[in-house]
Amino acid sequence: MEFSSKLLENAVYEMSQLPGIGKRTALRLVLHLLKRPETQTAQLSKALTALREDICFCSNCHNISDQELCEICSNPKRDEATVCVVEDIRDVMAIENTGQFVGHYHVLGGKISPIEGVGPQDLSIAQLVAKVKTGKVNELIFALSATMEGDTTNFYIYKQLQGIEVKTSTIARGIPVGDELEYADEVTLGRSIVNRIPFEGSLRIS
Amino acid sequence: MEFSSKLLENAVYEMSQLPGIGKRTALRLVLHLLKRPETQTAQLSKALTALREDICFCSNCHNISDQELCEICSNPKRDEATVCVVEDIRDVMAIENTGQFVGHYHVLGGKISPIEGVGPQDLSIAQLVAKVKTGKVNELIFALSATMEGDTTNFYIYKQLQGIEVKTSTIARGIPVGDELEYADEVTLGRSIVNRIPFEGSLRIS
């Protein structure tokens, strides 16, 4: 792509550095901004810069927060003895939306992935182990993605916790609610039979 | 979506104002920036702000440019008597890439679209008519999209030029090179038969 303007070329280049945004999409976005009032671009730039410069991470759960302690960790009604281990803030938001969990979270900041160069030292695993060692945590719920990286991370943390007395559990894998059996993949269907639960248990959540 | 951070919420909101970017994609992009070095966000913000504040439009063709006259308009080798009328800079780039056109452009900045609230006064049509009235333009090539809005805009300009001596033409509509006839739509195929060209003419471009 040849541009008639260095300013335009530069803006398109920076925009195309975002994931999933190629040169063509970047050009479309940048041209859209050019058609809009100058304030829109100014607000976007300001919001991004402010986020990057002033963002904090909760000192307890490592979630994104505006304060030293996030709203969940500073809420006295939440159960700090039950800690749900998740990858990032999107998972916290997803679980919060269910309204089914009243414990604390621990945000790892990713999962172990040798291919992407992410090792245990890049995640907040040491802090999690330290938190469990204080003895205040009764149960650790692993809620990472059901992928190889997620399972590896689960297992790594599990190994690190050997010798420390804490209950560990993982969220249930099975047939999504509302799905037909015939469309489920074999691994999921197989797991859902092996890990079947008492029928009374399935009535708990309506 | 409920956010644990106002800064994050604000950044996601501003990002989701871009066309084709919903709240989820915006969150993904913003979280990506958070994982990257601070310089990347700073460069993106700077590039966008610089573009919006310092951008010029060529005084002759209204294309985006860093100078008063764009590179095409200030190139003495280009034929200023042949003017290609296009919607925006993307069309200029596309036609330039073909290497088949050596004239000047006139960038309208959009096309007439009552649904989107774009009228003739929002486009650089008056400037185009004034340019033609100077008598320096021999031929005007309409190269707008083959949509109803494009055709409306073509026709509006054509009407404005009544009584002024200038040759007008429009780019050929037909079967794309390399396409099979059976997959072409009826309108395109019909037009390509009605507007057939002498066989010798088809040999000009290799």
Side-chain angles (χ1 to χ4, degrees):
Chain A
M1 265 198 217
E2 276 202 39
F3 291 96
S4 59
S5 154
K6 266 274 160 216
L7 288 168
L8 181 68
E9 185 171 357
N10 202 13
V12 169
Y13 171 78
E14 290 295 342
M15 197 62 119
S16 68
Q17 296 303 100
L18 293 172
I21 298 201
K23 284 248 166 169
R24 270 167 188 270
T25 309
L27 180 58
R28 192 164 55 85
L29 297 178
V30 166
L31 289 180
H32 172 86
L33 285 176
L34 269 182
K35 281 195 185 167
R36 288 303 169 117
E38 221 169 295
T39 47
Q40 188 177 338
T41 310
Q43 280 170 358
L44 173 62
S45 298
K46 224 177 91 188
L48 291 180
T49 314
L51 173 77
R52 197 64 189 80
E53 285 177 358
D54 303 335
I55 200 76
C56 313
F57 291 89
C58 171
S59 60
N60 187 42
C61 71
H62 301 272
N63 194 5
I64 293 170
S65 168
D66 288 346
Q67 295 111 38
E68 168 76 14
L69 262 187
C70 74
E71 282 176 26
I72 294 172
C73 290
S74 57
N75 184 346
K77 286 186 183 160
R78 310 224 24 156
D79 171 24
E80 62 170 332
T82 311
V83 173
C84 183
V85 181
V86 292
E87 268 170 61
D88 68 17
I89 188 173
R90 281 177 290 184
D91 304 321
V92 174
M93 289 163 69
I95 296 176
E96 281 299 288
N97 275 340
T98 68
Q100 300 285 348
F101 182 68
V102 291
H104 278 200
Y105 292 93
H106 187 91
V107 179
L108 292 178
K111 50 199 171 199
I112 297 173
S113 168
I115 293 173
E116 289 173 31
V118 180
Q121 70 287 348
D122 300 315
L123 309 175
S124 60
I125 292 179
Q127 291 90 327
L128 175 64
V129 174
K131 200 195 283 180
V132 176
K133 272 187 182 159
T134 62
K136 285 185 189 160
V137 180
N138 285 336
E139 181 175 358
L140 219 52
I141 305 171
F142 293 125
L144 303 188
S145 347
T147 59
M148 207 174 64
E149 285 93 355
D151 288 345
T152 308
T153 313
N154 282 343
F155 192 69
Y156 180 87
I157 299 175
Y158 179 75
K159 278 284 182 193
Q160 296 288 308
L161 294 171
Q162 290 297 308
I164 310 173
E165 202 183 320
V166 64
K167 195 175 144 193
T168 49
S169 60
T170 177
I171 53 170
R173 312 285 184 208
I175 308 297
V177 178
D179 258 23
E180 312 257 1
L181 277 205
E182 58 176 323
Y183 300 123
D185 67 288
E186 291 136 33
V187 180
T188 303
L189 189 55
R191 276 219 207 178
S192 77
I193 290 176
V194 173
N195 301 325
R196 62 192 177 277
I197 54 167
F199 182 67
E200 295 83 31
S202 72
L203 300 173
R204 260 185 285 168
I205 299 170
S206 60
Chain B
M1 263 198 216
E2 274 202 40
F3 290 95
S4 59
S5 154
K6 267 274 159 215
L7 287 169
L8 181 68
E9 186 172 356
N10 202 14
V12 169
Y13 171 78
E14 290 295 340
M15 199 61 119
S16 69
Q17 297 303 100
L18 293 172
I21 298 200
K23 284 248 165 167
R24 269 168 190 271
T25 310
L27 179 59
R28 192 164 55 85
L29 297 179
V30 166
L31 289 180
H32 172 86
L33 284 176
L34 270 181
K35 280 192 185 168
R36 287 304 169 114
E38 221 168 296
T39 47
Q40 187 176 340
T41 310
Q43 278 169 358
L44 174 63
S45 297
K46 223 175 90 187
L48 291 180
T49 313
L51 173 76
R52 196 65 189 82
E53 284 175 0
D54 302 335
I55 199 76
C56 311
F57 291 89
C58 171
S59 59
N60 187 41
C61 72
H62 302 272
N63 194 6
I64 293 169
S65 168
D66 289 346
Q67 297 111 37
E68 169 75 15
L69 262 189
C70 74
E71 281 176 28
I72 294 172
C73 290
S74 57
N75 184 346
K77 286 188 186 161
R78 310 226 18 158
D79 171 22
E80 62 171 330
T82 310
V83 173
C84 183
V85 180
V86 293
E87 270 170 59
D88 68 17
I89 188 172
R90 280 177 291 183
D91 304 320
V92 174
M93 289 163 69
I95 297 176
E96 281 298 289
N97 274 342
T98 68
Q100 300 286 348
F101 182 68
V102 291
H104 277 200
Y105 293 93
H106 187 92
V107 179
L108 291 177
K111 50 199 172 199
I112 297 173
S113 168
I115 291 173
E116 289 173 30
V118 181
Q121 69 287 347
D122 300 316
L123 310 174
S124 60
I125 292 179
Q127 291 91 326
L128 176 63
V129 174
K131 199 193 284 179
V132 176
K133 274 188 181 158
T134 63
K136 285 185 190 158
V137 180
N138 285 336
E139 181 177 359
L140 219 52
I141 304 171
F142 294 125
L144 304 187
S145 347
T147 59
M148 207 174 64
E149 285 93 353
D151 288 346
T152 307
T153 313
N154 283 343
F155 193 67
Y156 180 86
I157 299 174
Y158 179 74
K159 277 285 183 192
Q160 297 286 309
L161 294 171
Q162 289 297 306
I164 309 171
E165 203 182 318
V166 65
K167 197 175 145 192
T168 50
S169 59
T170 177
I171 53 168
R173 314 285 184 209
I175 308 297
V177 177
D179 257 25
E180 311 257 2
L181 277 206
E182 58 176 322
Y183 299 123
D185 67 288
E186 292 135 34
V187 179
T188 303
L189 190 54
R191 277 217 207 178
S192 77
I193 291 175
V194 173
N195 301 325
R196 62 194 177 277
I197 54 166
F199 182 67
E200 295 83 30
S202 72
L203 300 174
R204 260 185 285 166
I205 300 169
S206 60

